[in-house]
Coordinates of all heavy atoms in Angstrom, one line a residue:
M1 N 22.2 283.5 -19.5 CA 22.7 282.6 -18.5 C 22.5 283.2 -17.1 O 22.8 284.4 -16.9 CB 24.2 282.4 -18.8 CG 24.9 281.4 -17.8 SD 26.6 281.1 -18.4 CE 27.3 280.8 -16.8
E2 N 22.1 282.4 -16.2 CA 21.9 282.8 -14.8 C 23.3 283.0 -14.1 O 24.2 282.2 -14.3 CB 21.1 281.8 -14.0 CG 19.7 281.7 -14.6 CD 18.9 280.6 -13.8 OE1 18.7 280.7 -12.6 OE2 18.6 279.5 -14.5
T3 N 23.4 284.1 -13.3 CA 24.7 284.4 -12.7 C 24.6 284.1 -11.2 O 25.6 284.4 -10.6 CB 25.1 285.8 -13.0 OG1 24.0 286.7 -12.7 CG2 25.4 286.0 -14.4
Q4 N 23.5 283.6 -10.7 CA 23.5 283.4 -9.2 C 24.5 282.3 -8.8 O 24.7 281.3 -9.6 CB 22.1 283.0 -8.8 CG 21.7 281.7 -9.5 CD 20.3 281.3 -9.1 OE1 20.0 281.2 -7.9 NE2 19.4 281.2 -10.0
N5 N 25.1 282.5 -7.7 CA 26.0 281.5 -7.2 C 25.1 280.3 -6.8 O 24.2 280.5 -6.1 CB 26.8 282.0 -5.9 CG 28.1 282.6 -6.3 OD1 28.6 282.4 -7.4 ND2 28.6 283.5 -5.4
S6 N 25.5 279.2 -7.2 CA 24.7 278.0 -6.9 C 24.9 277.6 -5.4 O 26.0 277.2 -5.0 CB 25.1 276.8 -7.8 OG 26.5 276.6 -7.6
S7 N 23.9 277.9 -4.6 CA 24.0 277.5 -3.2 C 22.8 276.6 -2.9 O 21.7 276.9 -3.4 CB 24.0 278.7 -2.3 OG 23.1 279.6 -2.6
L8 N 23.1 275.5 -2.2 CA 22.1 274.5 -2.0 C 20.9 275.1 -1.2 O 21.0 275.8 -0.3 CB 22.7 273.3 -1.3 CG 23.7 272.6 -2.0 CD1 24.4 271.6 -1.1 CD2 23.1 271.8 -3.2
G9 N 19.7 274.8 -1.7 CA 18.5 275.1 -1.0 C 18.1 276.6 -1.0 O 17.3 277.0 -0.2
Q10 N 18.6 277.3 -2.0 CA 18.2 278.7 -2.1 C 17.4 279.0 -3.3 O 17.9 279.7 -4.2 CB 19.4 279.6 -2.0 CG 20.0 279.6 -0.6 CD 20.9 280.9 -0.4 OE1 21.2 281.6 -1.3 NE2 21.2 281.1 0.9
G11 N 16.3 278.4 -3.4 CA 15.4 278.7 -4.5 C 15.8 278.2 -5.8 O 15.1 278.4 -6.8
N12 N 16.8 277.5 -5.9 CA 17.3 276.9 -7.2 C 16.7 275.5 -7.4 O 17.1 274.8 -8.3 CB 18.8 276.9 -7.3 CG 19.3 277.0 -8.7 OD1 18.5 277.3 -9.6 ND2 20.6 276.8 -8.9
N13 N 15.9 275.1 -6.5 CA 15.3 273.8 -6.6 C 16.3 272.6 -6.9 O 16.2 272.0 -7.9 CB 14.2 273.8 -7.7 CG 13.2 272.6 -7.5 OD1 13.1 272.1 -6.4 ND2 12.6 272.3 -8.6
P14 N 17.2 272.4 -6.0 CA 18.2 271.4 -6.3 C 17.6 270.0 -6.3 O 16.7 269.7 -5.5 CB 19.2 271.5 -5.1 CG 18.4 272.2 -4.0 CD 17.4 273.1 -4.7
E15 N 18.1 269.2 -7.1 CA 17.6 267.8 -7.3 C 18.2 266.9 -6.3 O 19.4 267.1 -5.9 CB 17.9 267.3 -8.7 CG 17.3 268.2 -9.8 CD 15.7 268.0 -9.9 OE1 15.2 267.0 -9.4 OE2 15.1 268.9 -10.5
V16 N 17.5 265.9 -5.8 CA 18.1 265.0 -4.9 C 18.6 263.8 -5.7 O 17.9 263.2 -6.6 CB 17.0 264.5 -3.9 CG1 17.5 263.4 -3.0 CG2 16.5 265.6 -3.1
D17 N 19.8 263.4 -5.4 CA 20.4 262.2 -6.0 C 20.5 262.3 -7.6 O 20.7 261.2 -8.2 CB 19.6 261.0 -5.6 CG 20.2 260.4 -4.3 OD1 21.1 261.0 -3.8 OD2 19.7 259.3 -4.0
I18 N 20.5 263.4 -8.1 CA 20.6 263.5 -9.6 C 21.2 264.9 -9.9 O 21.1 265.8 -9.2 CB 19.2 263.3 -10.2 CG1 19.3 263.0 -11.7 CG2 18.4 264.6 -10.1 CD1 19.2 261.5 -11.9
I19 N 22.0 264.9 -11.0 CA 22.6 266.1 -11.4 C 21.8 266.6 -12.7 O 21.6 265.9 -13.6 CB 24.1 265.9 -11.8 CG1 24.8 265.5 -10.5 CG2 24.6 267.2 -12.4 CD1 26.3 265.1 -10.8
E20 N 21.4 267.9 -12.6 CA 20.7 268.4 -13.8 C 21.5 269.4 -14.4 O 22.0 270.4 -13.8 CB 19.3 269.0 -13.3 CG 18.5 269.6 -14.5 CD 17.2 270.2 -14.1 OE1 16.8 270.1 -12.9 OE2 16.6 270.9 -14.9
C21 N 21.7 269.3 -15.7 CA 22.5 270.3 -16.5 C 21.8 271.6 -16.5 O 20.6 271.7 -16.8 CB 22.7 269.8 -17.9 SG 23.5 271.0 -19.0
P22 N 22.5 272.7 -16.1 CA 21.9 274.0 -16.0 C 21.6 274.6 -17.4 O 20.9 275.6 -17.6 CB 22.9 274.8 -15.2 CG 24.2 274.2 -15.5 CD 23.9 272.7 -15.6
H23 N 22.2 273.9 -18.4 CA 22.1 274.4 -19.8 C 20.9 273.8 -20.5 O 20.0 274.5 -21.0 CB 23.4 274.2 -20.6 CG 24.6 274.7 -20.0 ND1 24.8 276.1 -19.9 CD2 25.6 274.1 -19.4 CE1 26.0 276.3 -19.3 NE2 26.5 275.1 -19.0
C24 N 20.9 272.5 -20.5 CA 19.8 271.8 -21.3 C 18.9 271.0 -20.4 O 18.0 270.3 -20.9 CB 20.5 270.9 -22.4 SG 21.3 269.5 -21.7
H25 N 19.2 271.0 -19.1 CA 18.3 270.3 -18.1 C 18.3 268.7 -18.3 O 17.4 268.0 -17.9 CB 16.9 270.8 -18.1 CG 16.8 272.2 -17.9 ND1 17.1 272.8 -16.6 CD2 16.5 273.3 -18.7 CE1 17.0 274.1 -16.7 NE2 16.6 274.4 -17.9
H26 N 19.4 268.3 -18.9 CA 19.6 266.8 -19.0 C 19.9 266.3 -17.6 O 20.7 266.9 -16.9 CB 20.7 266.5 -20.0 CG 21.1 265.1 -20.2 ND1 20.2 264.2 -20.7 CD2 22.2 264.4 -19.9 CE1 20.7 263.0 -20.7 NE2 21.9 263.1 -20.3
L27 N 19.4 265.1 -17.3 CA 19.6 264.5 -15.9 C 20.7 263.5 -16.0 O 20.7 262.6 -16.9 CB 18.3 263.9 -15.4 CG 17.2 264.9 -15.2 CD1 15.9 264.2 -14.8 CD2 17.5 266.0 -14.2
M28 N 21.6 263.5 -15.0 CA 22.7 262.6 -15.0 C 22.9 262.0 -13.6 O 22.6 262.7 -12.6 CB 24.0 263.3 -15.5 CG 24.0 263.7 -16.9 SD 25.2 265.0 -17.3 CE 24.2 266.4 -16.7
G29 N 23.5 260.9 -13.6 CA 23.9 260.3 -12.3 C 25.2 260.9 -11.8 O 25.9 261.5 -12.6
Y30 N 25.5 260.7 -10.5 CA 26.7 261.4 -10.0 C 27.8 260.4 -9.6 O 28.9 260.7 -9.2 CB 26.3 262.1 -8.7 CG 25.7 261.3 -7.7 CD1 26.5 260.6 -6.8 CD2 24.3 261.1 -7.6 CE1 25.9 259.7 -5.8 CE2 23.7 260.3 -6.7 CZ 24.5 259.6 -5.8 OH 23.9 258.8 -4.9
D31 N 27.6 259.1 -9.9 CA 28.5 258.0 -9.4 C 29.9 258.2 -9.9 O 30.8 257.9 -9.1 CB 28.0 256.7 -9.9 CG 26.6 256.3 -9.4 OD1 26.1 257.1 -8.6 OD2 26.1 255.2 -9.7
D32 N 30.1 258.7 -11.0 CA 31.5 258.9 -11.6 C 32.2 260.1 -11.0 O 33.4 260.2 -11.2 CB 31.4 259.0 -13.1 CG 30.9 257.8 -13.7 OD1 30.9 256.7 -13.1 OD2 30.4 257.9 -14.9
Y33 N 31.5 260.9 -10.3 CA 32.1 262.2 -9.9 C 32.4 262.4 -8.4 O 33.1 263.2 -8.0 CB 31.2 263.4 -10.3 CG 30.9 263.3 -11.8 CD1 29.7 262.8 -12.3 CD2 31.9 263.8 -12.7 CE1 29.5 262.7 -13.7 CE2 31.6 263.7 -14.1 CZ 30.4 263.2 -14.6 OH 30.2 263.1 -15.9
I34 N 31.7 261.6 -7.6 CA 31.9 261.7 -6.1 C 32.6 260.5 -5.6 O 32.2 259.4 -5.8 CB 30.5 261.9 -5.5 CG1 29.9 263.2 -6.0 CG2 30.6 262.0 -4.0 CD1 28.5 263.5 -5.4
E35 N 33.6 260.7 -4.8 CA 34.3 259.6 -4.2 C 33.5 259.2 -2.9 O 32.9 260.0 -2.3 CB 35.7 260.1 -3.7 CG 36.5 260.8 -4.7 CD 37.7 260.0 -5.1 OE1 38.1 259.2 -4.3 OE2 38.3 260.3 -6.2
V36 N 33.5 257.9 -2.7 CA 32.9 257.4 -1.5 C 33.5 258.0 -0.3 O 34.7 258.1 -0.1 CB 33.0 255.9 -1.4 CG1 32.4 255.4 -0.1 CG2 32.3 255.2 -2.6
G37 N 32.7 258.6 0.6 CA 33.2 259.2 1.8 C 33.2 260.7 1.7 O 33.4 261.4 2.7
D38 N 33.0 261.3 0.5 CA 32.9 262.7 0.4 C 31.6 263.2 1.0 O 30.5 262.7 0.6 CB 32.9 263.1 -1.1 CG 34.4 263.3 -1.6 OD1 35.3 263.1 -0.8 OD2 34.5 263.6 -2.8
M39 N 31.7 264.1 1.9 CA 30.4 264.6 2.6 C 29.9 265.8 1.8 O 28.7 266.0 1.8 CB 30.8 265.0 4.0 CG 31.3 263.9 4.9 SD 30.0 262.6 5.0 CE 28.8 263.5 5.8
S40 N 30.7 266.6 1.3 CA 30.3 267.8 0.6 C 31.4 268.3 -0.2 O 32.6 267.9 0.0 CB 29.8 268.9 1.5 OG 30.8 269.4 2.3
G41 N 31.1 269.1 -1.2 CA 32.2 269.6 -2.0 C 31.7 270.2 -3.3 O 30.5 270.6 -3.4
Q42 N 32.6 270.4 -4.2 CA 32.2 271.0 -5.4 C 33.1 270.4 -6.5 O 34.2 270.0 -6.3 CB 32.6 272.5 -5.3 CG 31.9 273.4 -6.2 CD 32.2 274.9 -5.9 OE1 33.4 275.2 -5.5 NE2 31.3 275.8 -6.1
F43 N 32.5 270.3 -7.7 CA 33.3 269.8 -8.8 C 32.8 270.4 -10.1 O 31.7 271.0 -10.1 CB 33.4 268.3 -8.9 CG 32.0 267.6 -8.9 CD1 31.4 267.3 -10.2 CD2 31.3 267.3 -7.8 CE1 30.2 266.7 -10.2 CE2 30.1 266.6 -7.8 CZ 29.5 266.4 -9.1
K44 N 33.6 270.2 -11.1 CA 33.2 270.7 -12.4 C 33.0 269.6 -13.3 O 33.7 268.6 -13.2 CB 34.3 271.6 -12.9 CG 33.9 272.6 -14.0 CD 35.1 273.5 -14.4 CE 35.6 274.5 -13.4 NZ 34.9 275.7 -13.4
M45 N 32.0 269.6 -14.2 CA 31.8 268.5 -15.1 C 31.2 269.0 -16.4 O 30.8 270.2 -16.5 CB 30.9 267.5 -14.5 CG 29.5 268.0 -14.2 SD 28.4 266.7 -13.5 CE 28.0 265.7 -15.0
D46 N 31.3 268.2 -17.4 CA 30.7 268.6 -18.7 C 29.4 267.8 -18.9 O 29.3 266.6 -18.5 CB 31.6 268.2 -19.9 CG 32.9 269.0 -19.8 OD1 32.9 270.1 -19.3 OD2 33.9 268.6 -20.4
C47 N 28.4 268.4 -19.4 CA 27.1 267.7 -19.6 C 27.3 266.6 -20.6 O 28.0 266.7 -21.6 CB 26.1 268.7 -20.1 SG 24.5 267.9 -20.6
E48 N 26.7 265.4 -20.3 CA 26.8 264.3 -21.3 C 26.1 264.6 -22.6 O 26.4 264.0 -23.6 CB 26.1 263.1 -20.6 CG 26.8 262.5 -19.4 CD 26.0 261.4 -18.7 OE1 24.8 261.3 -19.1 OE2 26.5 260.8 -17.8
K49 N 25.1 265.5 -22.5 CA 24.3 265.7 -23.7 C 24.8 266.9 -24.5 O 25.1 266.7 -25.7 CB 22.8 265.9 -23.3 CG 21.9 265.8 -24.4 CD 20.4 266.0 -23.9 CE 19.4 265.9 -25.0 NZ 18.1 266.3 -24.5
C50 N 24.9 268.1 -23.9 CA 25.2 269.3 -24.6 C 26.7 269.6 -24.6 O 27.2 270.5 -25.2 CB 24.3 270.5 -24.2 SG 24.7 271.0 -22.5
Q51 N 27.4 268.9 -23.7 CA 28.9 269.0 -23.6 C 29.4 270.3 -23.0 O 30.5 270.6 -23.0 CB 29.6 268.8 -25.0 CG 29.2 267.6 -25.7 CD 29.6 266.3 -25.0 OE1 30.7 266.2 -24.5 NE2 28.8 265.3 -25.0
K52 N 28.4 271.1 -22.5 CA 28.8 272.4 -21.9 C 29.3 272.1 -20.4 O 28.7 271.3 -19.7 CB 27.7 273.4 -21.9 CG 27.4 273.9 -23.3 CD 26.2 274.8 -23.2 CE 25.8 275.3 -24.7 NZ 24.5 275.9 -24.7
P53 N 30.3 272.8 -20.0 CA 30.8 272.7 -18.6 C 29.9 273.4 -17.6 O 29.4 274.5 -17.9 CB 32.2 273.3 -18.7 CG 32.1 274.3 -19.7 CD 31.1 273.8 -20.7
F54 N 29.9 272.9 -16.4 CA 29.2 273.6 -15.3 C 29.7 273.1 -14.0 O 30.4 272.1 -13.9 CB 27.6 273.4 -15.4 CG 27.2 272.0 -15.4 CD1 26.9 271.4 -14.2 CD2 27.0 271.3 -16.5 CE1 26.4 270.0 -14.1 CE2 26.6 269.9 -16.5 CZ 26.3 269.3 -15.3
D55 N 29.5 273.9 -12.9 CA 29.9 273.6 -11.6 C 28.8 272.9 -10.8 O 27.6 273.2 -11.0 CB 30.3 274.9 -10.8 CG 31.6 275.5 -11.3 OD1 32.5 274.7 -11.6 OD2 31.7 276.7 -11.4
V56 N 29.2 272.0 -10.0 CA 28.2 271.3 -9.1 C 28.6 271.4 -7.7 O 29.8 271.2 -7.3 CB 28.1 269.8 -9.5 CG1 27.1 269.1 -8.7 CG2 27.9 269.6 -11.0
D57 N 27.7 271.9 -6.8 CA 27.9 271.8 -5.4 C 27.1 270.6 -4.8 O 26.0 270.4 -5.3 CB 27.3 273.1 -4.7 CG 28.2 274.3 -4.9 OD1 29.4 274.1 -5.0 OD2 27.6 275.4 -4.9
F58 N 27.7 269.9 -3.9 CA 26.9 268.9 -3.3 C 27.1 268.8 -1.8 O 28.1 269.2 -1.3 CB 27.2 267.5 -4.0 CG 28.6 267.0 -3.6 CD1 28.7 266.1 -2.6 CD2 29.7 267.4 -4.4 CE1 30.0 265.6 -2.3 CE2 30.9 266.9 -4.1 CZ 31.1 266.0 -3.0
C59 N 26.1 268.2 -1.1 CA 26.3 267.9 0.3 C 25.5 266.6 0.5 O 24.5 266.4 -0.1 CB 26.0 269.0 1.2 SG 24.2 269.4 1.3
S60 N 25.9 265.8 1.5 CA 25.2 264.6 1.8 C 24.4 264.8 3.1 O 24.8 265.5 4.0 CB 26.1 263.4 1.8 OG 27.3 263.7 2.5
M61 N 23.4 264.0 3.2 CA 22.5 264.1 4.4 C 22.5 262.7 5.0 O 22.6 261.7 4.4 CB 21.1 264.4 4.0 CG 20.8 265.9 3.9 SD 19.1 266.2 3.6 CE 19.1 266.4 1.9
F62 N 22.3 262.7 6.3 CA 22.1 261.4 7.1 C 20.7 261.4 7.6 O 20.1 262.4 7.9 CB 23.0 261.3 8.3 CG 24.5 261.2 7.9 CD1 25.3 262.3 8.0 CD2 24.9 260.0 7.4 CE1 26.7 262.1 7.7 CE2 26.3 259.9 7.0 CZ 27.1 260.9 7.2
Y63 N 20.1 260.2 7.6 CA 18.8 260.0 8.1 C 19.0 259.1 9.3 O 19.6 258.0 9.3 CB 17.9 259.3 7.1 CG 17.6 260.2 5.9 CD1 18.5 260.3 4.8 CD2 16.5 261.0 5.9 CE1 18.2 261.1 3.8 CE2 16.2 261.9 4.8 CZ 17.1 261.9 3.8 OH 16.9 262.7 2.7
F64 N 18.4 259.6 10.5 CA 18.6 258.8 11.7 C 17.2 258.3 12.2 O 16.2 259.0 12.1 CB 19.1 259.7 12.8 CG 20.5 260.2 12.6 CD1 20.7 261.5 12.1 CD2 21.6 259.4 12.8 CE1 22.0 261.9 11.8 CE2 22.9 259.8 12.6 CZ 23.1 261.1 12.1
E65 N 17.2 257.1 12.6 CA 16.0 256.5 13.2 C 16.5 255.9 14.5 O 17.4 255.2 14.6 CB 15.5 255.4 12.3 CG 14.2 254.9 12.9 CD 13.6 253.8 12.0 OE1 13.9 253.7 10.8 OE2 12.8 253.0 12.5
T66 N 15.8 256.3 15.6 CA 16.1 255.8 16.9 C 15.1 254.9 17.5 O 13.9 254.9 17.1 CB 16.3 257.0 17.9 OG1 15.1 257.7 18.0 CG2 17.4 257.9 17.4
E67 N 15.5 254.0 18.4 CA 14.6 253.0 18.9 C 15.1 252.7 20.4 O 16.3 252.6 20.6 CB 14.7 251.8 18.1 CG 13.6 250.7 18.4 CD 13.7 249.5 17.5 OE1 14.6 249.6 16.5 OE2 13.0 248.6 17.7
K68 N 14.1 252.6 21.3 CA 14.5 252.2 22.7 C 15.1 250.8 22.7 O 14.7 250.0 21.9 CB 13.3 252.2 23.5 CG 12.7 253.6 23.9 CD 11.5 253.4 24.8 CE 10.8 254.7 25.0 NZ 9.5 254.5 25.7
L69 N 16.0 250.7 23.6 CA 16.6 249.3 23.8 C 15.4 248.4 24.3 O 14.6 248.9 25.1 CB 17.7 249.3 24.9 CG 18.9 250.1 24.4 CD1 20.0 250.1 25.6 CD2 19.5 249.6 23.2
K70 N 15.5 247.2 23.9 CA 14.4 246.2 24.3 C 14.2 246.1 25.8 O 13.1 246.1 26.2 CB 14.8 244.8 23.7 CG 14.8 244.8 22.2 CD 13.4 244.6 21.6 CE 13.5 244.3 20.1 NZ 14.1 245.4 19.3
E71 N 15.3 246.1 26.6 CA 15.1 245.9 28.0 C 14.7 247.2 28.8 O 14.6 247.1 30.0 CB 16.3 245.1 28.6 CG 17.7 245.5 28.3 CD 18.2 245.3 26.9 OE1 17.7 244.4 26.2 OE2 19.1 246.0 26.5
E72 N 14.6 248.3 28.1 CA 14.2 249.5 28.8 C 12.8 249.9 28.8 O 12.4 251.0 28.9 CB 15.1 250.7 28.3 CG 16.5 250.7 28.7 CD 17.3 251.9 28.3 OE1 16.6 252.8 27.6 OE2 18.5 252.0 28.6
E73 N 11.9 248.9 28.6 CA 10.5 249.2 28.5 C 9.9 249.8 29.8 O 10.3 249.3 30.9 CB 9.7 247.9 28.1 CG 10.0 247.5 26.7 CD 9.3 248.3 25.7 OE1 8.4 249.1 26.1 OE2 9.7 248.3 24.5
Ligands
LIG1 ZN1 23.4 269.9 -21.0

């Protein structure tokens, strides 16, 4: 079992929008685990497939697109 602290973006190849079980690599959705409005955090869950518990770190990202106002040409 790997003992590294799960930190986002540090060589652990975190998945976007999906939770991967660290035990059996089963992929799961996160809808049941994150409250709307949570920006980042940590929770514990059991794998749907192998039933083993694991910790999950998450953070959310915003994508910005800017545009000039029409009358400022
Ligand atoms: Zn699993």
Side-chain angles (χ1 to χ4, degrees):
M1 180 175 152
E2 295 176 65
T3 50
Q4 58 181 306
N5 270 338
S6 58
S7 46
L8 293 170
Q10 289 201 346
N12 207 14
N13 198 22
E15 301 287 341
V16 175
D17 271 4
I18 198 98
I19 295 171
E20 181 181 349
C21 173
H23 303 290
C24 71
H25 303 291
H26 180 61
L27 299 176
M28 290 159 281
Y30 58 86
D31 297 1
D32 297 338
Y33 304 101
I34 297 179
E35 309 247 340
V36 174
D38 275 357
M39 299 299 297
S40 66
Q42 199 175 38
F43 57 91
K44 202 180 290 275
M45 64 180 283
D46 295 336
C47 175
E48 292 172 353
K49 194 177 178 189
C50 69
Q51 309 294 321
K52 290 178 185 168
F54 58 91
D55 286 323
V56 183
D57 285 331
F58 70 94
C59 70
S60 43
M61 275 186 263
F62 292 106
Y63 293 86
F64 295 99
E65 184 178 341
T66 59
E67 191 178 355
K68 286 180 189 171
L69 295 179
K70 294 279 189 294
E71 45 292 334
E72 283 187 2
E73 293 286 342

